[in-house]
Structures are given as C-alpha cells and as structure tokens.
Amino acid sequence: MIKFLIYDGSFDGFLSVVFKVYDERLSKIRILREAQYDHAHTLFDEKEVVQTNVTHAKRVWKTLKQKCSHHGLRLIYKAYLSEIAGSEESMLIFIQKQLKASSPISQNYSDPDILRLSKVVKMVDREKHRLDAFVRFRQTKEGVYFAVISPDFNVLPLNISHFKHRYADQKWIIYDLKRKYGIYYDLVRVEIITFKFDPGALSPNVGYAEEEMQFEALWKNYFKSTNITSRKNTRLHHQHVPKRYWKYLIEKRP
Amino acid sequence: MNYERIKEKLNILADAAKYDVSCASSGSKRTNKNKGLGNSSGMGICHSYTEDGRCVSLLKILLTNYCIFDCAYCVTRKSNDIPRAAFKVQEVVDLTIAFYRRNYIEGLFLSSGIFKNADYTMERLIAVAKKLRKEENFNGYIHLKSIPGASDALMREAGLYADRLSVNIEIPSVEGLKLLAPDKKRNDFLRPMEKVKNEIIQYRSERKIIKNTPVYAPAGQSTQMIIGAAGETDAEIMYNSAYLYKKYNLKRVYYSGYIPISYDARLPSIGTNVPLLRENRLYQTDWLLRFYGFDIRELLSKEHPNLDSDIDPKLSWALRNLALFPVDINKADRGMIARVPGIGLKSVHKILQARRFRRLHWDHLKALGIAANRAKYFIVCDAPSFETKDRTAAQIKGLILQESKHKFRGMLNGQLNLFDPVTPMVG
Ligand code: SF4
C-alpha cells in the first residue's frame, strides 16, 4: 500500500520528509503538500503528517551539499519552487540516486528521472526570467516603486538578487498576488512582507503618484511607434509574450 | 516635464529610429556602483516584444531627425517630406531614467540624423551619455551611434560612457553606396570603427596592468546592413560580415530586410515584401560563423553566391559534404557534432554531458532535443537501426523537405513563424 507523507509546503518541510524516509527506510510513498492533499486522494491510503523539523532539514541539506554539485542543489531547490504536484517524488528519486553515486549526477541527461527534473527546472528558470522582464513598477505617492505579479511558480525568491542589484537606489516592492507575499527593498536589504489589504485593488487613481499615468502613456506611445507594420508577425509575438502575461504589461493594456 | 510635447517628439523620433534592428543589451560588464541606479552585467533582457516579434530592450530613439544628408534608403533623408523634431539633451536623460526605474527598459539606444555636421552631432550624443553616467549615476546600458565622419577625439570620449558603439554600413558594396548614399564614403564608416577598435584594445591591455582603468565600450561594436536595397548577393553581404568581424572585432552584424519607404526608382517600390526569409537565412549563416566554427568559404562562394531558400545553410553545407558523414555521436568531437543538421548548440552540450555516463541511442538523442528527422541521415549512435542506405544529396533533401513540409509551410511565402529573426535557430 502506498503511504502519503504530508508536509507543510516549506522547503525545510520537504527536507524533513527526506530525513524521515531515510530514518525509517520508507519506500512506496507519495509526498504531498497539505494544500494538495484533500482533493487528490482516497480514504484507503495510509497518510502521515510530517512535522517540519529544522534540525533534520539542516542535516539533510548538509549531506546534500557534500554530495551534490552547486548545479544539483539548485536543481532540488528550483524543482521545489515549481510547486508542481509530483515533483517532490522526482526530487526524492534524484536525491536517492545522488547519495548512492560517487560523483555529481545532476547533468546526466541520459537518465529519464534527471531529464524530467531538469525540464521542470527549465520551466521555473524561464518563469524567473520572464518576471525579470515583465515586472512593471508604478511609483506610489510615498515614492515606493510597486509591482504586482502572479507567476505560475513560486519564483520570487529567485528574483531578489536581480532586482536588488539593479534598483539599489530606489525603494521597491514586488508582490505575488497568488501566494500573498512580497519582497520589499528598503534601500538596505530585502525583506519578505505580507499585506492585510489586497494590493491588486490599488487603482491608477488611488495610491499612485500623479505623474505615473503620464509615464505609462509615454511608454505605450513609444511601444506603438516602434512597431513596423509591414513585418507584423502575430504568432511570433504571442510566442514571446504569452497572453497570460499581458495583464502586467502596460503596453498591452487597452 | 511637458508631457504633451515630449509625447509628440517621442512619436516622431522613435518611429524614425525603429529601422535600426539592433536591440541587444548584453555583453557589458558594467555593475552597479555606489548604490547607483542600474546594472548591465547580466544577460540583457527583452522587456517586451513588438507585434512583429522583435525584442524591445532599449529606449531606441533619434536625438533628432533633421538631417543634412539624403541617403535614398532612409526615412530621415533631407528630401523626405515628414515632420521633424529634436530632443533636448536633458529630455532624453529624464525619459531614460523614468523608463528604467519602472523596469520598462535595459537602457538607451541613441542615434541621430546628422545636423550641422558629424562632430556637432556626435558631441550631443556624448553629452546625453555623459550626463546619465556622471549626474544620474546610471549603470544601465547605453548604445550610441557613431556618426560617420566623427573625429577620433570624439570617438575616444564616446566609448568612456557608452557600453556599445555602432556605425551602420547599411549598403554592403561600394557601388551601391555611391548610388544610394552619394554623400557618404565607405571610409566614413570604417574610420570611427577602426578608432573604437584600437581604443578597446588599448584600454583592455591597460586594465590588465592598472586595475582601475575605466571601462571602454565594454559591449564592443556592431553594425547593420540593409538587405535587398541595392541588389547584392548573399555572398557579398556575408563576406563583408566575415571581414568586419575579423578586422574590427565586431560583436554583432545585423541584417535588416529593406522596408520600402520611398518611390525612388533606385529602390524596390513601396508594397514590395520585406525579404524576411532571406534575412533569416543570413542570420543563420552569421550564427554558423560565430558559434559553429564555420568559415565563410565553406558556406558561400563564387559558384554558390546565394543561400538556398528552401533549406537552412547548415543542411545545405552538409549535403554538399556528404563524404564527411555519418558522424558517430558517441565519439565525434564537439566541433563535428555541431556541424550535424538538426543538432543545435544546446543539444551539443547536452550530448557531451550525457555521453560521459553512457553510450547514447536514439531515444536519448530525441529526449535531448535534437531534430531526429534531419539528423538521422548524418549520424550513427548506439542502435542497431540507422539510415544505412546510400542516398544522394538530392534524395536526402527531398525526404527532409517532405517531412518538414507541414511545419515550414508558411516560410516560403515570406511569413516567418518559427524563426525569430534576431536569434535564429540553427539546427
Ligand atoms: S545620414 Fe543617416 S539619418 Fe541622414 S539620411 Fe543618411 S542614413 Fe538617414
């Protein structure tokens, strides 16, 4: 019988599951986040809620650090951020294979499990890069540059370094509407923040600086003038900017 | 800021700048200093895409579209009856900063019509870049146009503030240039290019000795050629490119299919299709030169002056050189694997990684993303079955075209669907 291990959705939580699997020599398991459990599974399976244990998590991570290349560690972390159901099992398989192997295996693309994991990570990377590109800040009345997003994967942690290096002299917030948290740079460091109100409801007239609409209008205008109609290629356009991102993009808004 | 006035200017001066296809913002090493604004040490980002599928990375504008010259292929030419405008230096600075802070752009690409003379124009472009760097502590990307005929002293200064400098050759042949741009001489383009190249070399060597030597045009130089305006062959265009890459260490040559903008009898008339497929083939050839280890003489020659339109240049080369195939995927070196049709550089890398762990067969190769329908005629791998039949080049070509007919259907009538003209796939 398959046993379901349920964890709280944190990275430490996942590592605690790995600890348990090794500690109790478990096999035939599925790993799920709390939020994923209800709708997916029958009453007949066995289930156990694994408490997040930071000490256990640290021990697992330490072992992985000794066995994995940097590439391999990123592979695990990014696959975790994908939040795709089932990726925990792929991560576990990778970890098990890696711990048995004598050298790093994260680039062994002839192994179907690793190839599958790399494909997930590629999707995460792509989403991260799209956010670097498609985030659009608006200046609030308080002078903070503010952007809301709702990415397919939980990539915000991966974006911190990029934005911190780029916008070192302005305060900014990027807020994930789906996961209800944001990152805030206060000119010194980046912190994780949450809001009590719904920042998606901020409208152009409330909260934002007056000149904001002017700059957006200028940008829209620029975007229009830079197009060459005799080269129009809608399919290519959609391929580069999938429709689900249009909501962020001032230039694509009517 | 007077937004209405700026908007008018922006419309005119962005519209006039859009024919320069370069939009790259990568390759610089400028990092954020003293908690200033911006960073261009990364990969370069496309923040948006136009409806024709081109990357929007930089605020690309002319400082002015007043011009004393009359180049036939250019909308800005003196004799053209169009609205004219000019930005003030400070206006460009403010606009760049405002757009950059909102994450619309990676930086500025500033070009200009030639007003008064080359040096006067170049000075104004430099003034914008200098203000951005010195007063705004801006570390985003700046691409300045080198104005043909600008003095050595100005070119030297330009590189201190710009990440990239470019001067557009536009017309690949001397005769074509004489016909279409009688005010310009080839040497007017080459001289600033030469100066910048020498400065780059000098600054680099000084930097090795004295660490705080300022960076000089860290993203190098580029140029653009217009395709299909003056009747050149592909060979003429690409031999020019190969020469420019070698002689001036150019980072990029851009190819811009001529967009008819004039009833001038010397040029293709308005309504003529933009040669997008040809443009794409040239980019593919360019890629083969820069990344795949090809020499131009392998791809184009007197006997073979134009690229095939129905197949890509790598496949075309392979079919002319069947004696070099099949290649053993489990043994061949990187360079030879990269020459196999249907295998792009990413797959080459993955193949080399994967074959350290085991001998590869078809399923592996397919999973690694190679285009097996093309590659299968050119490789052997760890499998009992591969294409053993001795086929002629014409037969292979026929089979490949047949299989990919559906996929590539749109391409031959000039509608590119699968290829991005600026970063073409070469497989
Ligand atoms: S000098 Fe430049 S801007 Fe002026 S007409 Fe010639 S190409 Fe156009």
Side-chain angles (χ1 to χ4, degrees):
Chain A
M1 193 164 65
I2 287 180
K3 181 172 186 173
F4 284 89
L5 298 179
I6 319 287
Y7 75 107
D8 62 3
S10 70
F11 192 54
D12 280 345
F14 167 72
L15 294 176
S16 307
V17 171
V18 176
F19 184 89
K20 187 182 176 69
V21 168
Y22 273 88
D23 198 43
E24 300 174 16
R25 299 169 189 276
L26 299 176
S27 60
K28 285 208 187 155
I29 50 136
R30 300 272 322 267
I31 308 171
L32 287 174
R33 294 166 195 236
E34 252 159 24
Q36 290 166 334
Y37 183 72
D38 293 345
H39 21 244
H41 310 282
T42 69
L43 295 166
F44 305 108
D45 294 306
E46 199 188 329
K47 72 162 184 174
E48 182 177 343
V49 176
V50 180
Q51 295 304 328
T52 297
N53 180 322
V54 181
T55 324
H56 290 175
K58 275 199 178 133
R59 269 178 60 189
V60 172
W61 193 243
K62 203 174 145 207
T63 315
L64 287 173
K65 267 185 164 165
Q66 284 158 3
K67 294 287 276 187
C68 286
S69 59
H70 179 68
H71 183 263
L73 293 173
R74 299 292 287 173
L75 204 67
I76 299 169
Y77 181 56
K78 287 177 180 175
Y80 157 75
L81 292 178
S82 79
E83 300 175 338
I84 295 174
S87 47
E88 283 89 350
E89 278 108 71
S90 303
M91 290 149 70
L92 181 64
I93 292 172
F94 171 72
I95 290 172
Q96 287 168 332
K97 286 189 176 176
Q98 179 64 78
L99 293 186
K100 272 190 220 135
S102 54
S103 61
I105 57 164
S106 65
Q107 302 212 60
N108 181 4
Y109 300 117
S110 67
D111 179 324
D113 291 318
I114 295 175
L115 193 64
R116 198 175 320 121
L117 203 59
S118 324
K119 283 188 176 151
V120 168
V121 167
K122 206 169 146 193
M123 282 164 28
V124 172
D125 278 334
R126 189 184 299 150
E127 187 77 352
K128 183 261 180 199
H129 287 296
R130 283 195 166 133
L131 282 200
D132 286 346
F134 297 152
V135 155
R136 294 287 183 269
F137 287 117
R138 285 170 158 171
Q139 199 180 10
T140 64
K141 290 206 168 84
E142 294 77 30
V144 179
Y145 287 82
F146 187 72
V148 294
I149 52 163
S150 41
D152 290 355
F153 313 121
N154 183 20
V155 290
L156 216 40
L158 302 176
N159 294 100
I160 291 175
S161 146
H162 171 81
F163 283 99
K164 195 175 145 191
H165 286 108
R166 172 162 301 215
Y167 299 111
D169 75 336
Q170 71 191 41
K171 292 184 183 173
W172 50 261
I173 295 170
I174 306 173
Y175 196 85
D176 183 339
L177 291 172
K178 232 191 234 172
R179 294 166 190 84
K180 298 197 170 50
Y181 80 95
I183 49 179
Y184 169 47
Y185 172 72
D186 62 1
L187 298 180
V188 184
R189 67 183 70 78
V190 176
E191 284 165 28
I192 303 281
I193 53 162
T194 52
F195 285 136
K196 292 213 178 70
F197 69 104
D198 173 16
L202 275 184
S203 80
N205 316 317
V206 193
Y208 292 112
E210 250 170 62
E211 74 242 33
E212 209 40 48
M213 291 306 107
Q214 306 281 0
F215 283 120
E216 295 198 355
L218 283 176
W219 174 245
K220 271 181 153 167
N221 251 279
Y222 171 73
F223 186 74
K224 247 188 261 146
S225 341
T226 196
N227 184 42
I228 300 178
T229 15
S230 54
R231 298 183 62 117
K232 192 172 163 108
N233 186 340
T234 312
R235 205 169 126 187
L236 190 59
H237 177 66
H238 288 185
Q239 195 179 313
H240 285 311
V241 198
K243 279 207 170 133
R244 65 180 188 280
Y245 296 97
W246 289 16
K247 57 181 178 291
Y248 307 138
L249 300 178
I250 292 144
E251 62 271 23
K252 300 302 295 178
R253 260 181 247 147
Chain B
M1 224 187 227
N2 179 345
Y3 295 102
E4 272 315 303
R5 185 73 196 105
I6 297 277
K7 195 154 119 192
E8 268 169 52
K9 291 188 189 182
L10 188 58
N11 286 349
I12 295 174
L13 296 168
D15 188 86
K18 71 187 177 191
Y19 298 97
D20 199 314
V21 295
S22 152
C23 201
S25 54
S26 55
S28 186
K29 291 176 199 76
R30 196 177 300 277
T31 49
N32 192 314
K33 285 185 294 281
N34 310 324
K35 285 220 162 191
L37 173 63
N39 186 332
S40 25
S41 59
M43 292 281 292
I45 298 174
C46 290
H47 284 272
S48 195
Y49 292 86
T50 59
E51 283 179 12
D52 52 66
R54 285 172 310 132
C55 159
V56 178
S57 170
L58 303 170
L59 170 62
K60 193 195 293 184
I61 48 175
L62 301 190
L63 189 59
T64 176
N65 67 338
Y66 288 102
C67 190
I68 54 171
F69 285 172
D70 206 35
C71 311
Y73 48 80
C74 174
V75 270
T76 301
R77 67 188 182 280
K78 181 173 61 182
S79 62
N80 203 12
D81 182 21
I82 48 161
R84 307 273 169 175
F87 274 124
K88 295 192 185 105
V89 168
Q90 190 62 44
E91 288 172 339
V92 178
V93 170
D94 292 344
L95 206 52
T96 306
I97 296 290
F99 281 5
Y100 193 87
R101 286 198 183 282
R102 287 164 178 75
N103 206 38
Y104 300 167
I105 53 170
E106 291 292 287
L108 172 68
F109 178 177
L110 189 60
S111 176
S112 184
I114 301 181
F115 54 112
K116 289 199 181 145
N117 57 50
D119 276 355
Y120 185 84
T121 311
M122 196 68 225
E123 267 167 30
R124 314 284 293 172
L125 298 187
I126 294 171
V128 171
K130 186 171 177 180
K131 244 188 166 150
L132 280 168
R133 297 285 189 228
K134 295 252 148 136
E135 288 174 24
E136 305 287 337
N137 194 4
F138 176 71
N139 303 294
Y141 194 88
I142 300 180
H143 177 161
L144 291 187
K145 189 103 301 197
S146 312
I147 301 297
S151 74
D152 280 3
L154 286 174
M155 289 325 299
R156 177 160 218 275
E157 199 186 352
L160 291 175
Y161 308 115
D163 294 288
R164 166 163 290 179
L165 290 159
S166 69
V167 50
N168 288 354
I169 298 277
E170 305 290 21
I171 303 299
S173 67
V174 177
E175 309 82 67
L177 194 65
K178 210 184 270 169
L179 179 71
L180 298 175
D183 307 312
K184 287 181 180 163
K185 284 179 210 63
R186 194 170 158 89
N187 204 33
D188 295 340
F189 307 108
L190 298 184
R191 216 179 101 170
M193 224 184 249
E194 173 84 25
K195 176 69 187 165
V196 171
K197 180 195 92 173
N198 292 336
E199 291 292 330
I200 291 177
I201 293 174
Q202 196 191 332
Y203 270 90
R204 283 235 176 98
S205 63
E206 275 172 26
R207 216 177 147 76
K208 272 185 206 138
I209 306 162
I210 311 162
K211 240 191 105 208
N212 56 5
T213 306
V215 287
Y216 183 93
Q221 299 196 82
S222 64
T223 192
Q224 165 173 300
M225 283 187 257
I226 297 178
I227 306 313
E232 296 84 358
T233 62
D234 292 339
E236 279 176 278
I237 294 165
M238 291 314 302
Y239 273 77
N240 246 303
S241 298
Y243 172 79
L244 293 168
Y245 278 127
K246 211 168 154 200
K247 176 94 200 289
Y248 300 103
N249 308 334
L250 291 195
K251 280 276 158 57
R252 285 292 299 271
V253 176
Y254 291 90
Y255 309 90
S256 173
Y258 176 69
I259 295 154
I261 39 98
S262 153
Y263 290 102
D264 194 318
R266 290 170 289 176
L267 289 162
S269 61
I270 290 187
T272 313
N273 278 340
V274 182
L276 294 180
L277 177 60
R278 184 175 180 206
E279 185 187 284
N280 187 56
R281 291 282 180 249
L282 292 168
Y283 274 115
Q284 290 176 322
T285 309
D286 185 277
W287 244 248
L288 293 179
L289 294 181
R290 290 190 299 139
F291 304 121
Y292 286 76
F294 280 89
D295 185 291
I296 186 63
R297 287 165 295 189
E298 296 179 280
L299 301 168
L300 288 160
S301 61
K302 272 216 186 71
E303 296 73 49
H304 185 72
N306 285 303
L307 299 164
D308 291 324
S309 58
D310 52 353
I311 52 172
D312 70 77
K314 188 155 101 177
L315 177 56
S316 175
W317 169 83
L319 291 174
R320 289 195 303 275
N321 292 279
L322 281 182
L324 300 173
F325 296 99
V327 162
D328 185 342
I329 281 300
N330 287 301
K331 290 205 192 99
D333 65 15
R334 172 187 286 271
M336 201 56 213
I337 296 180
R339 284 173 173 247
V340 176
I343 303 186
L345 282 189
K346 281 209 182 109
S347 306
V348 173
H349 172 75
K350 286 199 170 148
I351 288 170
L352 292 179
Q353 290 291 341
R355 77 180 186 187
R356 293 189 304 154
F357 296 92
R358 57 160 302 151
R359 291 177 57 76
L360 306 177
H361 57 73
W362 285 114
D363 291 342
H364 298 130
L365 292 174
K366 281 183 197 155
L368 294 179
I370 77 161
N373 63 331
R374 274 182 293 161
K376 68 181 173 197
Y377 304 102
F378 302 96
I379 56 178
V380 290
C381 57
D382 195 26
S385 74
F386 35 80
E387 291 289 326
T388 42
K389 286 203 195 86
D390 251 335
R391 292 198 165 95
T392 66
Q395 284 168 331
I396 296 177
K397 179 171 165 178
L399 286 168
I400 290 177
L401 281 179
Q402 212 171 19
E403 268 183 71
S404 45
K405 209 193 298 162
H406 181 70
K407 246 168 87 190
F408 290 82
R409 195 178 39 202
M411 285 195 53
L412 292 171
N413 31 39
Q415 251 297 323
L416 287 170
N417 292 321
L418 289 156
F419 290 106
D420 170 356
V422 186
T423 51
M425 310 185 314
V426 183

Short mmCIF file of all heavy atoms in Angstrom, two decimals, chain A residues 71-107:
data_model
loop_
_atom_site.label_atom_id
_atom_site.label_comp_id
_atom_site.label_asym_id
_atom_site.label_seq_id
_atom_site.Cartn_x
_atom_site.Cartn_y
_atom_site.Cartn_z
N HIS A 71 25.09 22.92 -9.08
CA HIS A 71 24.03 22.70 -10.06
C HIS A 71 22.95 21.77 -9.50
O HIS A 71 21.75 22.01 -9.65
CB HIS A 71 24.67 22.11 -11.32
CG HIS A 71 23.73 21.89 -12.46
ND1 HIS A 71 23.15 20.67 -12.70
CD2 HIS A 71 23.26 22.72 -13.41
CE1 HIS A 71 22.37 20.76 -13.76
NE2 HIS A 71 22.42 22.00 -14.21
N GLY A 72 23.39 20.71 -8.83
CA GLY A 72 22.45 19.74 -8.28
C GLY A 72 21.60 20.33 -7.16
O GLY A 72 20.40 20.08 -7.08
N LEU A 73 22.23 21.14 -6.30
CA LEU A 73 21.49 21.77 -5.20
C LEU A 73 20.42 22.72 -5.74
O LEU A 73 19.29 22.74 -5.27
CB LEU A 73 22.45 22.55 -4.29
CG LEU A 73 23.46 21.72 -3.49
CD1 LEU A 73 24.44 22.64 -2.77
CD2 LEU A 73 22.74 20.82 -2.48
N ARG A 74 20.82 23.50 -6.77
CA ARG A 74 19.85 24.42 -7.38
C ARG A 74 18.70 23.64 -8.01
O ARG A 74 17.56 24.07 -7.99
CB ARG A 74 20.52 25.27 -8.47
CG ARG A 74 21.64 26.14 -7.97
CD ARG A 74 21.17 27.25 -7.07
NE ARG A 74 20.48 28.33 -7.79
CZ ARG A 74 19.87 29.34 -7.17
NH1 ARG A 74 19.86 29.39 -5.85
NH2 ARG A 74 19.28 30.29 -7.86
N LEU A 75 19.04 22.48 -8.58
CA LEU A 75 18.03 21.64 -9.22
C LEU A 75 16.94 21.28 -8.20
O LEU A 75 15.75 21.38 -8.46
CB LEU A 75 18.71 20.38 -9.76
CG LEU A 75 18.05 19.64 -10.90
CD1 LEU A 75 18.09 20.47 -12.17
CD2 LEU A 75 18.76 18.31 -11.17
N ILE A 76 17.38 20.87 -7.02
CA ILE A 76 16.42 20.47 -5.99
C ILE A 76 15.59 21.67 -5.54
O ILE A 76 14.36 21.61 -5.50
CB ILE A 76 17.16 19.88 -4.76
CG1 ILE A 76 17.94 18.64 -5.17
CG2 ILE A 76 16.17 19.55 -3.65
CD1 ILE A 76 18.90 18.14 -4.11
N TYR A 77 16.27 22.77 -5.26
CA TYR A 77 15.56 23.94 -4.74
C TYR A 77 14.56 24.50 -5.75
O TYR A 77 13.42 24.81 -5.43
CB TYR A 77 16.58 25.02 -4.35
CG TYR A 77 15.94 26.26 -3.77
CD1 TYR A 77 15.10 26.19 -2.65
CD2 TYR A 77 16.17 27.51 -4.33
CE1 TYR A 77 14.52 27.32 -2.12
CE2 TYR A 77 15.59 28.66 -3.81
CZ TYR A 77 14.76 28.56 -2.70
OH TYR A 77 14.18 29.68 -2.18
N LYS A 78 15.00 24.58 -6.99
CA LYS A 78 14.11 25.14 -8.01
C LYS A 78 12.93 24.22 -8.31
O LYS A 78 11.82 24.68 -8.56
CB LYS A 78 14.88 25.43 -9.29
CG LYS A 78 15.79 26.63 -9.17
CD LYS A 78 16.57 26.80 -10.45
CE LYS A 78 17.50 28.00 -10.37
NZ LYS A 78 18.33 28.07 -11.60
N ALA A 79 13.17 22.92 -8.29
CA ALA A 79 12.06 21.99 -8.51
C ALA A 79 11.04 22.16 -7.38
O ALA A 79 9.84 22.11 -7.60
CB ALA A 79 12.58 20.56 -8.55
N TYR A 80 11.54 22.41 -6.18
CA TYR A 80 10.65 22.67 -5.04
C TYR A 80 9.79 23.91 -5.32
O TYR A 80 8.58 23.91 -5.11
CB TYR A 80 11.48 22.84 -3.77
CG TYR A 80 10.77 23.63 -2.69
CD1 TYR A 80 9.75 23.06 -1.94
CD2 TYR A 80 11.11 24.96 -2.47
CE1 TYR A 80 9.08 23.80 -0.98
CE2 TYR A 80 10.45 25.71 -1.51
CZ TYR A 80 9.43 25.13 -0.76
OH TYR A 80 8.77 25.87 0.17
N LEU A 81 10.42 24.96 -5.84
CA LEU A 81 9.69 26.20 -6.11
C LEU A 81 8.63 26.03 -7.20
O LEU A 81 7.70 26.82 -7.30
CB LEU A 81 10.65 27.32 -6.51
CG LEU A 81 11.61 27.84 -5.43
CD1 LEU A 81 12.52 28.91 -6.01
CD2 LEU A 81 10.86 28.38 -4.23
N SER A 82 8.78 25.00 -8.02
CA SER A 82 7.80 24.80 -9.10
C SER A 82 6.41 24.52 -8.53
O SER A 82 5.41 24.81 -9.18
CB SER A 82 8.22 23.64 -10.00
OG SER A 82 7.89 22.41 -9.37
N GLU A 83 6.32 23.95 -7.35
CA GLU A 83 5.05 23.60 -6.71
C GLU A 83 4.21 22.63 -7.56
O GLU A 83 3.02 22.49 -7.36
CB GLU A 83 4.21 24.86 -6.41
CG GLU A 83 4.90 25.83 -5.48
CD GLU A 83 4.11 27.12 -5.27
OE1 GLU A 83 3.27 27.44 -6.13
OE2 GLU A 83 4.34 27.79 -4.25
N ILE A 84 4.83 22.02 -8.54
CA ILE A 84 4.09 21.08 -9.38
C ILE A 84 3.88 19.78 -8.60
O ILE A 84 4.83 19.24 -8.04
CB ILE A 84 4.87 20.78 -10.68
CG1 ILE A 84 4.96 22.05 -11.52
CG2 ILE A 84 4.23 19.66 -11.47
CD1 ILE A 84 5.82 21.91 -12.75
N ALA A 85 2.63 19.32 -8.58
CA ALA A 85 2.34 18.10 -7.85
C ALA A 85 3.18 16.97 -8.42
O ALA A 85 3.27 16.80 -9.63
CB ALA A 85 0.85 17.78 -7.95
N GLY A 86 3.79 16.19 -7.56
CA GLY A 86 4.59 15.08 -8.03
C GLY A 86 6.06 15.40 -8.13
O GLY A 86 6.89 14.49 -8.26
N SER A 87 6.43 16.68 -8.10
CA SER A 87 7.85 16.98 -8.26
C SER A 87 8.64 16.54 -7.03
O SER A 87 9.81 16.22 -7.13
CB SER A 87 8.10 18.45 -8.59
OG SER A 87 7.37 19.27 -7.74
N GLU A 88 7.98 16.48 -5.86
CA GLU A 88 8.70 16.02 -4.67
C GLU A 88 9.24 14.61 -4.86
O GLU A 88 10.34 14.30 -4.43
CB GLU A 88 7.79 16.05 -3.44
CG GLU A 88 7.56 17.43 -2.85
CD GLU A 88 6.35 18.11 -3.47
OE1 GLU A 88 5.84 17.58 -4.48
OE2 GLU A 88 5.91 19.15 -2.95
N GLU A 89 8.43 13.77 -5.54
CA GLU A 89 8.92 12.41 -5.76
C GLU A 89 10.14 12.40 -6.68
O GLU A 89 11.10 11.70 -6.44
CB GLU A 89 7.83 11.50 -6.34
CG GLU A 89 6.90 10.96 -5.27
CD GLU A 89 5.53 11.60 -5.33
OE1 GLU A 89 4.80 11.30 -6.28
OE2 GLU A 89 5.21 12.40 -4.43
N SER A 90 10.08 13.21 -7.73
CA SER A 90 11.25 13.29 -8.62
C SER A 90 12.46 13.78 -7.85
O SER A 90 13.58 13.31 -8.06
CB SER A 90 11.00 14.25 -9.78
OG SER A 90 9.87 13.87 -10.50
N MET A 91 12.23 14.76 -6.96
CA MET A 91 13.35 15.28 -6.17
C MET A 91 13.91 14.19 -5.27
O MET A 91 15.13 14.05 -5.14
CB MET A 91 12.87 16.47 -5.32
CG MET A 91 12.54 17.71 -6.15
SD MET A 91 11.22 18.71 -5.42
CE MET A 91 12.01 19.38 -3.98
N LEU A 92 13.01 13.42 -4.67
CA LEU A 92 13.47 12.35 -3.78
C LEU A 92 14.27 11.31 -4.57
O LEU A 92 15.34 10.87 -4.12
CB LEU A 92 12.27 11.69 -3.09
CG LEU A 92 12.63 10.57 -2.12
CD1 LEU A 92 13.45 11.11 -0.95
CD2 LEU A 92 11.37 9.87 -1.59
N ILE A 93 13.77 10.93 -5.74
CA ILE A 93 14.49 9.95 -6.55
C ILE A 93 15.89 10.47 -6.89
O ILE A 93 16.88 9.75 -6.79
CB ILE A 93 13.72 9.65 -7.86
CG1 ILE A 93 12.42 8.91 -7.52
CG2 ILE A 93 14.56 8.82 -8.81
CD1 ILE A 93 11.49 8.72 -8.71
N PHE A 94 15.93 11.75 -7.27
CA PHE A 94 17.22 12.35 -7.59
C PHE A 94 18.16 12.27 -6.38
O PHE A 94 19.32 11.87 -6.48
CB PHE A 94 17.05 13.80 -8.04
CG PHE A 94 18.35 14.54 -8.17
CD1 PHE A 94 19.22 14.26 -9.21
CD2 PHE A 94 18.72 15.50 -7.24
CE1 PHE A 94 20.43 14.93 -9.34
CE2 PHE A 94 19.93 16.18 -7.35
CZ PHE A 94 20.79 15.90 -8.40
N ILE A 95 17.63 12.63 -5.22
CA ILE A 95 18.45 12.62 -4.00
C ILE A 95 18.95 11.20 -3.71
O ILE A 95 20.12 10.98 -3.42
CB ILE A 95 17.65 13.18 -2.81
CG1 ILE A 95 17.44 14.69 -2.99
CG2 ILE A 95 18.36 12.90 -1.48
CD1 ILE A 95 16.49 15.32 -1.99
N GLN A 96 18.04 10.24 -3.85
CA GLN A 96 18.44 8.86 -3.56
C GLN A 96 19.54 8.39 -4.51
O GLN A 96 20.53 7.79 -4.10
CB GLN A 96 17.22 7.94 -3.65
CG GLN A 96 16.28 8.14 -2.45
CD GLN A 96 14.94 7.46 -2.63
OE1 GLN A 96 14.47 7.28 -3.76
NE2 GLN A 96 14.30 7.09 -1.52
N LYS A 97 19.36 8.72 -5.80
CA LYS A 97 20.38 8.31 -6.77
C LYS A 97 21.71 9.00 -6.49
O LYS A 97 22.77 8.41 -6.60
CB LYS A 97 19.93 8.63 -8.19
CG LYS A 97 18.86 7.69 -8.70
CD LYS A 97 18.59 7.91 -10.18
CE LYS A 97 17.58 6.86 -10.66
NZ LYS A 97 17.18 7.06 -12.06
N GLN A 98 21.59 10.30 -6.15
CA GLN A 98 22.82 11.07 -5.91
C GLN A 98 23.58 10.53 -4.70
O GLN A 98 24.80 10.43 -4.72
CB GLN A 98 22.47 12.55 -5.71
CG GLN A 98 23.68 13.43 -5.43
CD GLN A 98 24.66 13.50 -6.60
OE1 GLN A 98 24.44 14.20 -7.58
NE2 GLN A 98 25.75 12.73 -6.52
N LEU A 99 22.84 10.17 -3.65
CA LEU A 99 23.52 9.71 -2.44
C LEU A 99 24.21 8.37 -2.66
O LEU A 99 25.18 8.04 -1.99
CB LEU A 99 22.54 9.65 -1.26
CG LEU A 99 22.01 11.02 -0.80
CD1 LEU A 99 21.17 10.89 0.46
CD2 LEU A 99 23.14 12.02 -0.57
N LYS A 100 23.68 7.61 -3.63
CA LYS A 100 24.33 6.34 -3.94
C LYS A 100 25.54 6.53 -4.84
O LYS A 100 26.48 5.75 -4.82
CB LYS A 100 23.33 5.40 -4.62
CG LYS A 100 22.54 4.58 -3.63
CD LYS A 100 21.74 3.50 -4.35
CE LYS A 100 20.36 3.38 -3.71
NZ LYS A 100 19.29 3.31 -4.70
N ALA A 101 25.50 7.57 -5.67
CA ALA A 101 26.55 7.76 -6.68
C ALA A 101 27.82 8.33 -6.06
O ALA A 101 27.80 8.90 -4.97
CB ALA A 101 26.06 8.69 -7.78
N SER A 102 28.92 8.17 -6.79
CA SER A 102 30.18 8.62 -6.22
C SER A 102 30.55 10.03 -6.69
O SER A 102 31.43 10.67 -6.13
CB SER A 102 31.29 7.65 -6.59
OG SER A 102 31.30 7.48 -7.99
N SER A 103 29.88 10.50 -7.75
CA SER A 103 30.17 11.87 -8.22
C SER A 103 28.85 12.54 -8.60
O SER A 103 27.82 11.86 -8.73
CB SER A 103 31.13 11.82 -9.40
OG SER A 103 30.53 11.09 -10.45
N PRO A 104 28.86 13.86 -8.81
CA PRO A 104 27.60 14.57 -9.10
C PRO A 104 26.92 14.02 -10.36
O PRO A 104 27.58 13.74 -11.36
CB PRO A 104 28.05 16.01 -9.32
CG PRO A 104 29.33 16.13 -8.57
CD PRO A 104 29.98 14.79 -8.68
N ILE A 105 25.61 13.87 -10.29
CA ILE A 105 24.90 13.27 -11.42
C ILE A 105 23.87 14.22 -12.03
O ILE A 105 23.12 13.84 -12.92
CB ILE A 105 24.15 11.98 -10.98
CG1 ILE A 105 23.19 12.32 -9.84
CG2 ILE A 105 25.13 10.91 -10.57
CD1 ILE A 105 22.15 11.24 -9.62
N SER A 106 23.83 15.47 -11.57
CA SER A 106 22.73 16.34 -11.98
C SER A 106 22.73 16.65 -13.47
O SER A 106 21.76 17.14 -14.01
CB SER A 106 22.75 17.64 -11.18
OG SER A 106 23.91 18.37 -11.50
N GLN A 107 23.83 16.38 -14.15
CA GLN A 107 23.85 16.64 -15.60
C GLN A 107 23.79 15.37 -16.42
O GLN A 107 24.06 15.38 -17.62
CB GLN A 107 25.10 17.43 -15.97
CG GLN A 107 25.18 18.75 -15.22
CD GLN A 107 25.85 19.83 -16.04
OE1 GLN A 107 25.39 20.17 -17.11
NE2 GLN A 107 26.94 20.36 -15.54
#
